[in-house]
Amino acid sequence: MSMIEFHDVEKYYGKFHALKDINLTIDRGEVVTIIGPSGSGKSTLLRTINGLERITEGKLIVNDFDLAEKNTNMDKIRKNVGMVFQHFNLYANKTVIDNITLGPRLVLHRDRAEVEKEALELLDMVGLKDQAQKYPAALSGGQKQRVAIARSLAMKPRAILFDEPTSALDPEMIGDVLDVMQTIAKQGMTMVVVTHEMGFAKRVGDRIIFMADGQILEDATDVAGFFDHPKDPRAQEFISKIFNH
Amino acid sequence: MLNILTNNFGTLMSGLGYTLLSSLIALVFSLIVGTVFALMEISPAKWVRVIGKTYVEVIRNIPLLVITMGFYVIVPKYLLPVDGFTAGTIGLTIYTSAFIAETVRAGIESVAVGQMEGARSVGLSYAQAMRQIVFPQAIKIVIPPLGNQFINLVKNSSILAFVAGFDLMYQGKIIANATFNTFDTYLVVGLLYLVLTMPMSYLMRHLEKKWVTA
């Protein structure tokens, strides 16, 4: 059962060709990592999946909705497809617990007490139960990102998109965030992760995609094999640059 | 100088009252109208943006006196009768609303894009995200420049003097004409404006400290 399907997708910003002939199917429960040099279109690809960017041409089916269709209600897609951002994007004017409960209350129209109980369970899972009443400004980067993951999970989404979730973190914070992501992956969540964490890609990913210049150049289910013997020359160059410095 | 104040105390206080009343009405309505046009200026719909921008650009580039005269002369002639106080207060409201719209718009735009994206990514609609997340943060940012606009508004209410609005400036003009003591009269009038604006300044500073740092 596919969760996300790209069919001949093209994306332009004015004259800039950001995504070129993307064909990609991601199944439910799959954990896909996307790697590649900066400016290769990884984030753009990810952001098209929940409609933060619209595609110019082609067909994009997410959770059985056609995103290229003008009448598709993007809010309905986003309700089912969570997103975790590089810079967290927690609501600065809301406490941690309110950050998590706002979506379920306003979008899913659920009861406050019930949602707060679940939010505390999620905070417990990410190791931040005692931070519930703080504002985001009082948290470290790693804590913020774990709250952002809890916020996303509170909507009980079908899939979560991660846009370089550890790139803005201090090195000692990265492990905690990756641990939480691994836990979610084990629970069977469909995950698409744009990342520079090659260890995570190897350990947790079911599949790896290498992008450069707006194209998917390699798409491998044998993740360890990809790191040992990338086929595409640009992937070879990219991998060697990462591991030989 | 003191006898200008004591001899005309009733008249001056009546003028102060009209100035205060006009300022309060204009403050409330220019805040509402200005916020509406600020939201229009950043609307996702292009035609709404065009209307918002046009309003702001036209209004803020016409002198206050011209706008007020428009309401005092043109509206009674073709539409319905309005007195000086009403015409002046409407002119003041419309004029100030364009500046408030620009101030509020700048505040909203200074809230990081990620705040809107974060809210949209959990399925909140544009309106929900604006109301719950972006707007409350923008208001805090906007308090200091909004304070400036309100102080300007109180001082600009002296426009009522030109359209027989019975405000402080209008009464001052009458007293000056009657006593020929222009210097002392306008000194008293100036001090009375300070009585209105200084507490406002302090109040704004207080709010700034309390809200902006919270």
Side-chain angles (χ1 to χ4, degrees):
Chain A
M1 269 284 273
S2 67
M3 176 72 209
I4 300 158
E5 288 175 39
F6 287 82
H7 297 287
D8 306 322
V9 167
E10 310 281 346
K11 164 81 184 168
Y12 289 88
Y13 292 106
K15 281 188 176 162
F16 181 69
H17 201 170
L19 294 176
K20 297 173 188 164
D21 190 29
I22 302 292
N23 283 286
L24 175 67
T25 300
I26 295 172
D27 288 335
R28 292 185 196 272
E30 231 182 339
V31 177
V32 179
T33 54
I34 304 177
I35 63 166
S38 60
S40 58
K42 312 182 294 283
S43 287
T44 304
L45 179 81
L46 198 71
R47 288 164 61 88
T48 59
I49 299 173
N50 71 349
L52 284 180
E53 305 287 348
R54 303 205 75 141
I55 62 171
T56 317
E57 271 172 51
K59 208 169 160 186
L60 173 52
I61 314 283
V62 177
N63 196 26
D64 303 327
F65 286 96
D66 185 352
L67 294 210
E69 190 62 39
K70 259 205 159 173
N71 303 328
T72 300
N73 183 345
M74 290 295 177
D75 295 339
K76 276 195 182 147
I77 309 272
R78 296 184 186 124
K79 187 166 89 175
N80 290 307
V81 181
M83 181 142 190
V84 173
F85 299 85
Q86 182 177 2
H87 295 289
F88 330 120
N89 296 357
L90 294 180
Y91 317 135
N93 61 327
K94 303 268 183 203
T95 58
V96 164
I97 186 106
D98 287 344
N99 261 275
I100 298 171
T101 57
L102 189 71
R105 276 167 42 217
L106 289 186
V107 180
L108 307 176
H109 307 290
R110 295 185 53 203
D111 173 63
R112 185 179 197 129
E114 194 186 314
V115 176
E116 282 187 352
K117 193 172 149 267
E118 282 179 22
L120 286 172
E121 285 166 15
L122 285 170
L123 279 175
D124 197 22
M125 187 195 103
V126 300
L128 294 170
K129 202 175 187 177
D130 49 339
Q131 312 286 329
Q133 300 306 327
K134 287 192 180 164
Y135 281 88
L139 304 181
S140 73
Q143 290 174 325
K144 281 181 196 167
Q145 198 58 299
R146 284 181 280 153
V147 172
I149 294 171
R151 172 174 77 179
S152 189
L153 286 171
M155 293 296 290
K156 302 196 167 98
R158 302 285 179 85
I160 304 184
L161 314 172
F162 294 83
D163 191 3
E164 301 199 24
T166 57
S167 297
L169 300 181
D170 289 336
E172 77 271 21
M173 308 278 182
I174 293 175
D176 291 340
V177 171
L178 293 180
D179 286 347
V180 170
M181 288 169 63
Q182 186 160 2
T183 308
I184 301 168
K186 277 191 184 145
Q187 290 166 355
M189 178 65 73
T190 309
M191 292 164 66
V192 186
V193 186
V194 170
T195 187
H196 297 296
E197 293 297 325
M198 302 304 155
F200 178 84
K202 261 189 214 175
R203 217 169 48 245
V204 185
D206 300 318
R207 182 171 163 194
I208 191 157
I209 286 169
F210 175 78
M211 285 185 76
D213 196 24
Q215 290 169 294
I216 294 177
L217 295 181
E218 206 156 334
D219 180 349
T221 47
D222 176 12
V223 179
F226 167 80
F227 280 107
D228 289 339
H229 308 289
K231 293 189 191 86
D232 183 86
R234 264 183 288 185
Q236 287 165 5
E237 194 195 335
F238 182 73
I239 297 295
S240 77
K241 268 186 186 158
I242 286 175
F243 289 107
N244 303 322
H245 65 79
Chain B
M1 185 196 125
L2 207 62
N3 60 349
I4 289 283
L5 185 63
T6 49
N7 291 346
N8 304 285
F9 192 74
T11 314
L12 286 167
M13 285 307 115
S14 149
L16 194 68
Y18 276 107
T19 291
L20 189 63
L21 183 64
S22 171
S23 300
L24 280 176
I25 295 170
L27 190 150
V28 170
F29 284 100
S30 64
L31 190 58
I32 295 168
V33 175
T35 303
V36 169
F37 278 99
L39 290 170
M40 288 175 74
E41 279 192 280
I42 53 155
S43 162
K46 195 185 170 194
W47 64 273
V48 179
R49 277 203 306 276
V50 169
I51 295 173
K53 289 245 182 266
T54 308
Y55 174 86
V56 168
E57 286 308 326
V58 169
I59 298 297
R60 74 169 176 171
N61 288 306
I62 298 177
L64 172 58
L65 187 53
V66 175
I67 294 175
T68 305
M69 281 302 178
F71 280 98
Y72 191 55
V73 178
I74 299 167
V75 173
K77 193 167 177 187
Y78 296 106
L79 294 168
L80 69 168
V82 282
D83 60 22
F85 179 81
T86 310
T89 305
I90 293 174
L92 192 59
T93 302
I94 301 289
Y95 177 78
T96 310
S97 71
F99 290 90
I100 288 183
E102 280 303 275
T103 308
V104 172
R105 179 192 59 80
I108 291 172
E109 286 181 341
S110 70
V111 175
V113 182
Q115 294 289 309
M116 176 59 90
E117 285 192 347
R120 298 305 301 274
S121 76
V122 294
L124 265 68
S125 67
Y126 176 85
Q128 285 175 322
M130 185 55 79
R131 207 173 80 82
Q132 296 284 336
I133 307 300
V134 179
F135 199 69
Q137 294 183 51
I139 283 299
K140 283 187 181 183
I141 298 169
V142 151
I143 283 176
L146 220 46
N148 279 334
Q149 296 299 341
F150 290 157
I151 290 165
N152 276 338
L153 183 150
V154 173
K155 295 186 293 177
N156 285 341
S157 72
S158 58
I159 196 73
L160 266 71
F162 285 87
V163 290
F166 307 114
D167 70 314
L168 186 54
M169 189 68 188
Y170 177 82
Q171 303 296 6
K173 211 163 66 176
I174 287 175
I175 296 166
N177 287 341
T179 61
F180 302 112
N181 193 345
T182 321
F183 185 86
D184 283 0
T185 305
Y186 285 120
L187 198 62
V188 169
V189 166
L191 288 173
L192 287 174
Y193 272 109
L194 277 181
V195 168
L196 287 182
T197 50
M198 289 298 275
M200 257 182 110
S201 269
Y202 278 108
L203 181 70
M204 286 330 267
R205 266 182 221 286
H206 177 72
L207 283 180
E208 206 176 309
K209 269 194 199 133
K210 198 174 139 195
W211 285 15
V212 175
T213 53

